[in-house]
DNA sequence: GACAGAATCAAACAACTGTTTTAATCTGGT
DNA sequence: ACCAGATTAAAACAGTTGTTTGATTCTGTC
């Protein structure tokens, strides 16, 4: 079997499935809609992928690989500038050209609402490594070890702000209809906000290790 | 029609539907599973609510009302302490007793992945007002008007961190299996982190209004 | 106890689901 | 031109979906 990209209808099925799965999720998406959108027969999914779920796993895996960035270069910058670069990159990548989040974000939203078996693999293969590298960067900024509950919460806090603009978009756009979703502006804000937060955590940590430090 | 709470099977249907809708979402949930869990006949949903969607709207609306807090009293505290109280309350409320997020959070997760018509109403009735009151509090802390893009982003940043621990739980628990989800600890961290962020925003604002302020 | 209305039930409905089957068509090598 | 294998196509499969139907049971009132 030649699985290179030249297989026309296989590729069309993957593209169509990406759109439909992003909108409906695995369960509510139908192979008939996918095949119709791909201009293929109903049996095409079973012929080319065996299963509906195997098609989904392939789509989900590809979407997350696509969501990755070049990375690498920005770790040469000083830590705080590197963090700003990473944050801005993430915000930009999670936002599709038009209104709404990128399709790989919408698939992940369905996975968060109702995880499938494919989530384990994707977390381990692509999200895990990205989380780890961001964690070493944050641990360098706040001066705490990598394996530390506070470090973890700091990383999650940064990620939280970034993904919120993508995942919670349906609510945000309803609450503030005239919101400006410019990725650079959002990225800059999250960076300023988060770096100050990290510095405060670092300060509260150098002062006393165990006791909770009231912000002075 | 007497819609008070004494209607036994109607109440049981609402409870069962809450569980099933939280797990599967509107589309993937089946009225058969709901009725089975409620110990009722398959026709019970149509008899008591007319539609599957009317049952869902009722469940969704109730879940969000349940998610509200007493509020009121903590606005007497000085702004930053009030914010800490609100954050901790939100974190606590979004976490059910056991592993995983509260059921009203899981229903919202499905709505974010694929909004239904019910979302408009819920946002307008319960999320909107809560967002507004949090916004006035934040605007008082950072010294910016309520209707301001920076104020908005600050509020969203705080909310983002809170809801992330609930919505992204499937990913978080996979990335760090030995994570401690103690609501008070998380709430304290988010407060420290966010208040520092807000102060930085406030400082960068009083310095120069238009230009982006590099954190010193 | 009889009776009207509410409530529950089993059964069936048509529509839709993923998948399989079987035949038809296309493709490239000889 | 021919043919084996890959690919497509139409049709049918069994199972599930939300909803409806019509009969049966329950409930409170006279």
């Amino acid at each position: 079997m030649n699985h290179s990209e030249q297989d026309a209808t296989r590729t069309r099925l993957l593209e169509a499935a990406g759109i439909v799965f992003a909108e409906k999720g695995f369960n509510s998406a139908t192979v008939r809609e996918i095949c119709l959108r791909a201009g293929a027969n109903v049996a095409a999914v079973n012929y080319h992928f065996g299963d509906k779920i195997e098609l989904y796993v392939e789509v989900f895996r590809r979407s997350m690989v696509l969501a990755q960035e070049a990375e690498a270069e920005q770790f040469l910058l000083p830590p705080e500038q590197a963090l700003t670069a990473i944050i801005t990159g993430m915000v930009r990548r999670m936002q599709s050209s038009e209104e709404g989040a990128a399709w790989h974000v919408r698939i992940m939203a369905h996975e968060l609402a109702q995880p499938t078996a494919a989530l384990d693999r994707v977390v381990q293969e692509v999200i895990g490594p990205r989380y780890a590298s961001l964690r070493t960067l944050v641990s360098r900024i706040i001066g705490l070890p990598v394996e530390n509950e506070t470090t973890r919460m700091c990383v999650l806090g940064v990620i939280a702000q970034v993904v919120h603009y993508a995942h919670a978009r349906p609510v945000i756009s309803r609450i503030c209809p005239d919101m400006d979703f410019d990725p650079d502006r959002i990225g800059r804000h999250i960076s300023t906000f988060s770096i100050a937060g990290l510095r405060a955590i670092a300060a509260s940590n150098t002062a006393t290790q165990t006791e909770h430090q009231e912000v002075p």
Side-chain angles (χ1 to χ4, degrees), chain A:
Chain A
M1 237 177 266
N2 185 10
H3 269 192
S4 59
E5 295 302 325
Q6 67 199 5
D7 196 334
T9 71
R10 204 186 122 97
T11 307
R12 263 184 293 127
L13 280 173
L14 282 170
E15 291 172 1
I19 300 174
V20 178
F21 281 139
E23 183 186 344
K24 311 277 186 76
F26 173 73
N27 268 311
S28 298
T30 70
V31 311
R32 277 178 168 82
E33 182 178 352
I34 293 173
C35 291
L36 184 73
R37 191 180 285 261
N41 189 266
V42 213
V45 165
N46 298 286
Y47 179 77
H48 284 279
F49 297 92
D51 251 2
K52 178 191 178 184
I53 186 118
E54 284 190 59
L55 167 61
Y56 176 75
V57 170
E58 182 69 12
V59 168
F60 186 31
R61 199 185 56 79
R62 286 181 174 228
S63 80
M64 286 298 118
V65 171
L66 211 83
Q68 292 200 83
E69 57 183 332
E71 201 168 322
E73 83 276 4
Q74 55 225 94
F75 279 91
L76 301 175
L77 300 170
E80 294 190 351
Q81 287 182 34
L83 184 64
T84 302
I86 290 176
I87 289 175
T88 306
M90 286 175 71
V91 174
R92 210 179 283 125
R93 213 169 321 111
M94 287 198 176
Q95 207 147 330
S96 78
S97 53
E98 313 194 4
E99 195 82 7
W103 66 282
H104 68 263
V105 175
R106 308 199 53 192
I107 289 188
M108 180 55 78
H110 284 282
E111 282 287 333
L112 292 182
Q114 192 180 11
T116 72
L119 182 59
D120 293 280
R121 183 177 160 189
V122 168
V123 166
Q124 191 174 353
E125 287 185 4
V126 359
I127 298 180
R130 289 196 47 66
Y131 165 79
S133 68
L134 190 57
R135 191 180 48 175
T136 61
L137 180 59
V138 167
S139 91
R140 208 169 301 162
I141 295 179
I142 63 178
L144 279 178
V146 171
E147 284 292 345
N148 177 282
E149 203 76 3
T150 301
T151 308
R152 270 181 255 201
M153 289 193 287
C154 284
V155 177
L156 292 180
V158 172
I159 296 176
Q161 295 177 77
V162 173
V163 304
H164 193 246
Y165 284 93
H167 278 160
R169 178 70 78 92
V171 170
I172 296 175
S173 60
R174 279 169 174 80
I175 290 182
C176 15
D178 52 345
M179 179 92 187
D180 175 26
F181 284 100
D182 174 41
D184 291 325
R185 204 225 268 247
I186 294 175
R188 229 165 20 199
H189 169 84
I190 295 178
S191 299
T192 308
F193 189 93
S194 298
I195 287 174
L198 293 179
R199 285 179 180 171
I201 298 289
S204 103
N205 179 65
T206 54
T208 61
Q209 189 85 355
T210 58
E211 181 197 14
H212 168 57
Q213 187 74 6
E214 190 70 21
V215 251

